[in-house]
């Protein structure tokens, strides 16, 4: 049976991490393993900065690229004693692609530029990992994820063509019978052979698509945590690990912002009944957390999720019209067309308030769309607290010392915007 392993940026952040990855793969010598890797360390952040400077026409872009090159060069020098190893040329050629891009004028669509530049991080990391595994006598083949994950032209939020993607999987299945396969997370390809990305942190989603289409035995996501916790231990010292979760609860937690799993990851796994393991990369023999259909949820453990860097936008009509269904539909369409994802929403007779991740480009686009017909008021630098299976007496302690801007309660979930 096929097992899919996804390794995030932490798991390939330096040479020692890549060596640890190789040890994990070596311990599964009898399995058919597909490896999905993210960009190394904070490379995605660096490439995002590179894209911004490139579009602005700033000379800093070349300095940023130089630092990214040096970071990968240092890792390779630690991993490969033979400095003539072909991986050095492969990585150099990948950087040449970015250098050519920087010499051209930016495309008018910022998101198109973003996907062509930021996706390079996954190609760099996957090339290095594949080369290192082969050096350590683990027969490995590198494959381009764009040959398998097919999307539309929605840059930065590629929508996967599942039918076309499934048609490519028999070839991958045959390859997995011969050796370990290494490919990239986060990316797909369009019919015009351009690169798309699947949303920030989309490597988990990529791995889930591969696992479901291959009818894999399991998907394991290797993380820098013991498993899925009910809260961020840095914010809540009493955080507890879940031994197991049903798909439905994991989906709810991901939707509300639990960063351990990408929100789109669960659905394809549930549809194919593929269990998801979240395991600690540094302690691979630990059980971690398993997400599967037969899991029993312990509702005595409240999930506490905090999303920082939030904006709250309140929109009202200039002619004092009610926010009826037609106006509501129009406002939500404007939000959607600005590529803004709503984290919380509240409607009154005269206004619609939405909370979302702060992104100046997207927000300014929305504001320009609304300014002629709607009054807009907004707050920045807010936090959104979501508590699943809450007890009201516990909420007071969590919110103590902070100003509550807006709150909303359902049977199982409390959402509170704080300043």
């Amino acid at each position: 049976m096929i097992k899919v392993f996804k390794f995030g940026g932490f798991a390939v952040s330096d040479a020692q991490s890549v060596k640890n990855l190789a040890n994990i793969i070596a311990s599964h010598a009898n399995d058919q393993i597909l490896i999905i890797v993210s960009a190394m360390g904070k490379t995605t952040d660096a490439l995002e900065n590179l894209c911004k400077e490139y579009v602005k026409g700033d000379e800093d872009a070349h300095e940023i690229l130089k630092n990214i090159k040096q970071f990968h060069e240092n890792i390779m020098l630690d991993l490969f004693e033979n400095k003539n190893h072909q991986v050095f040329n492969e990585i150099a050629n990948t950087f040449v692609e970015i250098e050519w891009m920087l010499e051209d004028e930016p495309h008018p669509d910022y998101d198109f530029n973003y996907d062509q530049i930021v996706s390079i991080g996954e190609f760099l990391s996957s090339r290095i990992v594949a080369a290192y595994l082969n050096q350590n006598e683990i027969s490995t083949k590198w494959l381009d994820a764009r040959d398998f994950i097919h999307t539309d032209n929605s840059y930065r939020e590629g929508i996967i063509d599942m039918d076309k993607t499934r048609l490519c999987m028999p070839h991958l299945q045959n390859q997995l019978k011969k050796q370990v396969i290494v490919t990239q997370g986060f990316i797909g390809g369009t019919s015009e052979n351009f690169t798309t990305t699947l949303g920030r942190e989309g490597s988990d989603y990529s791995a889930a698509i591969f696992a479901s289409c291959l009818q894999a035995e399991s998907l394991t996501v290797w993380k820098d945590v013991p498993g899925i916790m009910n809260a961020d231990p840095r914010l809540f010292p009493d955080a507890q690990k879940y031994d197991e979760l049903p798909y439905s609860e994991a989906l709810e937690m991901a939707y509300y912002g639990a960063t351990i799993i990408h929100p789109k990851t669960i659905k394809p796994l549930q549809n194919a009944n593929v269990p998801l393991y979240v395991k600690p990369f540094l302690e691979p023999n630990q059980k971690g957390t398993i997400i599967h259909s037969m899991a029993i949820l312990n509702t005595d453990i409240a999930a506490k999720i905090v999303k920082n860097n939030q904006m709250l936008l309140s929109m009202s009509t200039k002619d004092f019209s009610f926010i009826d269904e037609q106006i509501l539909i129009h406002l939500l369409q404007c939000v959607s067309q600005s590529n803004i994802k709503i984290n919380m929403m509240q409607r009154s007779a005269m206004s619609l308030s939405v909370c979302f991740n702060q992104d100046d480009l997207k927000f300014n686009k929305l504001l320009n769309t609304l300014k002629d017909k709607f009054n807009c008021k907004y707050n920045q630098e807010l936090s959104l607290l979501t508590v699943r299976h809450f007890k009201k007496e516990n909420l007071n302690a969590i919110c103590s010392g902070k100003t509550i801007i807006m709150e909303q309660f359902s049977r199982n979930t409390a959402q509170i915007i704080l300043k």
Side-chain angles (χ1 to χ4, degrees):
M1 287 290 287
I2 296 168
K3 292 182 179 178
V4 179
F5 286 175
K6 183 263 173 174
F7 294 95
F10 169 80
V12 286
S13 59
D14 53 30
Q16 185 55 50
S17 297
V18 175
K19 293 174 183 178
N20 191 45
L21 182 157
N23 291 334
I24 291 173
I25 301 304
S27 69
H28 289 268
N30 297 323
D31 295 316
Q32 296 179 38
I33 302 293
L34 171 64
I35 300 173
I36 312 295
V37 294
S38 299
M40 290 181 148
K42 300 296 183 183
T43 298
T44 299
D45 292 339
L47 287 168
E48 284 183 341
N49 290 332
L50 172 64
C51 182
K52 289 176 184 175
E53 299 306 316
Y54 163 61
V55 170
K56 289 193 303 185
D58 199 309
E59 285 298 317
D60 286 348
H62 294 281
E63 185 64 26
I64 294 170
L65 181 59
K66 179 182 176 181
N67 292 335
I68 296 170
K69 281 184 180 180
Q70 190 61 58
F71 171 72
H72 289 83
E73 177 83 8
N74 290 342
I75 290 176
M76 289 191 294
L77 289 171
D78 281 344
L79 292 174
F80 303 97
E81 292 182 6
N82 178 9
K83 303 308 179 283
N84 294 318
H85 193 290
Q86 65 178 9
V87 71
F88 287 89
N89 283 333
E90 291 171 352
I91 296 303
N93 290 337
T94 303
F95 279 115
V96 167
E97 293 179 26
I98 305 183
E99 289 167 351
W100 286 345
M101 201 178 306
L102 296 182
E103 296 303 319
D104 292 334
E105 288 296 314
H107 191 279
D109 181 356
Y110 180 85
D111 291 346
F112 176 85
N113 296 308
Y114 179 99
D115 280 3
Q116 310 320 302
I117 292 175
V118 176
S119 60
I120 294 294
E122 274 64 22
F123 289 108
L124 296 169
S125 61
S126 59
R127 287 283 191 190
I128 293 171
V129 168
Y132 185 73
L133 292 176
N134 276 314
Q135 177 178 267
N136 285 269
E137 300 182 352
I138 300 173
S139 178
T140 304
K141 184 168 185 173
W142 180 91
L143 291 177
D144 190 331
R146 296 171 298 184
D147 293 335
F148 301 94
I149 303 293
H150 296 276
T151 76
D152 66 357
N153 295 79
S154 302
Y155 296 104
R156 296 186 73 176
E157 291 286 345
I159 298 173
I160 295 176
D161 183 333
M162 289 301 296
D163 291 335
K164 194 173 180 181
T165 297
R166 285 192 187 95
L167 288 174
C168 301
M169 291 300 157
H171 172 67
L172 183 54
Q173 287 173 323
N174 290 332
Q175 293 293 320
L176 284 163
K177 293 174 183 176
K178 303 172 186 176
Q179 66 263 299
V180 170
I181 299 295
V182 174
T183 192
Q184 309 80 40
F186 181 53
I187 68 171
T190 70
S191 57
E192 299 90 356
N193 293 323
F194 291 118
T195 305
T196 54
T197 63
L198 308 180
R200 191 66 200 265
E201 309 296 336
S203 291
D204 288 353
Y205 182 40
S206 297
I209 295 298
F210 277 113
S212 62
C213 290
L214 291 167
Q215 287 292 309
E217 176 184 320
S218 62
L219 165 61
T220 302
V221 176
W222 299 92
K223 296 281 188 179
D224 59 345
V225 291
I228 296 181
M229 310 292 287
N230 74 314
D232 185 339
R234 293 169 297 183
L235 302 176
F236 301 94
D238 60 347
Q240 298 173 260
K241 180 179 74 72
Y242 293 104
D243 290 330
E244 63 175 1
L245 284 170
Y247 290 119
S248 57
E249 187 63 22
L251 183 59
E252 292 280 4
M253 290 173 62
Y255 171 79
Y256 286 117
T259 55
I260 201 68
I261 295 293
H262 188 279
K264 294 181 179 178
T265 303
I266 304 301
K267 183 177 182 293
L269 298 176
Q270 182 176 22
N271 291 346
N273 199 28
V274 176
L276 169 61
Y277 293 87
V278 177
K279 299 190 69 174
F281 176 68
L282 296 178
E283 298 181 88
N285 294 323
Q286 296 297 315
K287 288 184 177 181
T289 301
I290 178 173
I291 300 169
H292 61 126
S293 58
M294 303 302 291
I296 298 173
L297 175 65
N298 182 359
T299 56
D300 289 335
I301 301 177
K304 294 169 280 191
I305 302 157
V306 177
K307 289 176 71 75
N308 293 316
N309 199 33
Q310 297 294 292
M311 293 189 70
L312 179 64
L313 171 65
S314 296
M315 301 162 280
S316 59
T317 57
K318 292 187 174 182
D319 63 359
F320 286 83
S321 297
F322 287 127
I323 303 295
D324 61 16
E325 283 67 21
Q326 291 303 312
I327 292 178
L328 180 62
I329 289 170
H330 174 71
L331 288 172
L332 292 177
Q333 283 178 334
C334 291
V335 172
S336 176
Q337 289 164 4
S338 300
N339 291 323
I340 288 174
K341 302 293 185 293
I342 296 173
N343 297 325
M344 180 179 173
M345 178 171 68
Q346 200 167 95
R347 171 190 174 193
S348 69
M350 302 295 294
S351 70
L352 175 69
S353 297
V354 292
C355 177
F356 49 87
N357 299 346
Q358 188 167 326
D359 184 313
D360 291 341
L361 285 174
K362 294 179 180 180
F363 175 64
N364 289 333
K365 180 179 178 181
L366 176 60
L367 215 55
N368 287 333
T369 304
L370 297 172
K371 63 183 180 181
D372 291 337
K373 294 184 179 180
F374 297 90
N375 295 314
C376 297
K377 297 180 180 179
Y378 60 92
N379 301 86
Q380 296 175 296
E381 298 180 4
L382 304 175
S383 296
L384 173 60
L385 168 69
T386 302
V387 183
R388 293 276 297 162
H389 312 292
F390 65 94
K391 294 179 174 62
K392 283 201 172 182
E393 58 269 22
N394 295 333
L395 292 179
N396 293 332
I398 298 173
C399 300
S400 177
K402 298 183 179 179
T403 302
I404 295 176
I405 306 296
M406 193 166 80
E407 56 187 1
Q408 194 164 275
F409 298 90
S410 66
R411 288 186 181 89
N412 296 316
T413 306
Q415 285 197 288
I416 305 171
I417 299 175
L418 302 165
K419 186 172 180 64

